[in-house]
C-alpha cells in the first residue's frame, strides 16, 4: 500500500492500494505503516503497476487508434459509393 493525499488521479486510479490521508500526522503514521509491510504492498500493487505501465498504456492507445483508423477505412468506400 502506498500513501497519498487525496489527489483526484490517485484516488481514481490507485484508491484500493493507497492509504489516503488528510493531515500531516495521519500521513506520517501511514508512511510508517507502509514501510513495515513492504512484501504485502508489492503483491497488491503489482497488478496496478502493470495496468499503468507505459507499455500497457501505449498498447491501449494503439488499439484505440487502430480501431478508429479501421472505422475510417471502412467508412471511406461507403462514402465514395454514395457520391
Amino acid at each position: 500500500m502506498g500513501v497519498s493525499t487525496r489527489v483526484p488521479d490517485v484516488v481514481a486510479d490507485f484508491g484500493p492500494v493507497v492509504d489516503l490521508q488528510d493531515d500531516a500526522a495521519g500521513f506520517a503514521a501511514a508512511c510508517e505503516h507502509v514501510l513495515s509491510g513492504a512484501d504485502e504492498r508489492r503483491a497488491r500493487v503489482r497488478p496496478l503497476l502493470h495496468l499503468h505501465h507505459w507499455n500497457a498504456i501505449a498498447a491501449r492507445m494503439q488499439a484505440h487508434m487502430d480501431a478508429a483508423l479501421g472505422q475510417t477505412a471502412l467508412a471511406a468506400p461507403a462514402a465514395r459509393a454514395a457520391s
Side-chain angles (χ1 to χ4, degrees), residues 6-69:
R6 294 185 191 278
V7 177
D9 290 353
V10 173
V11 172
D13 295 337
F14 301 100
V17 296
V18 174
D19 188 344
L20 300 167
Q21 294 295 320
D22 297 316
D23 60 33
F27 193 89
C31 287
E32 289 177 7
H33 177 73
V34 165
L35 291 173
S36 69
D39 291 336
E40 175 192 339
R41 179 181 159 269
R42 280 189 203 100
R44 292 184 65 198
V45 170
R46 190 171 292 119
L48 284 173
L49 291 177
H50 177 72
L51 179 67
H52 294 285
H53 187 275
W54 171 248
N55 291 340
I57 294 169
R60 288 193 304 273
M61 292 301 297
Q62 183 67 51
H64 288 299
M65 290 186 292
D66 290 346
L69 290 173

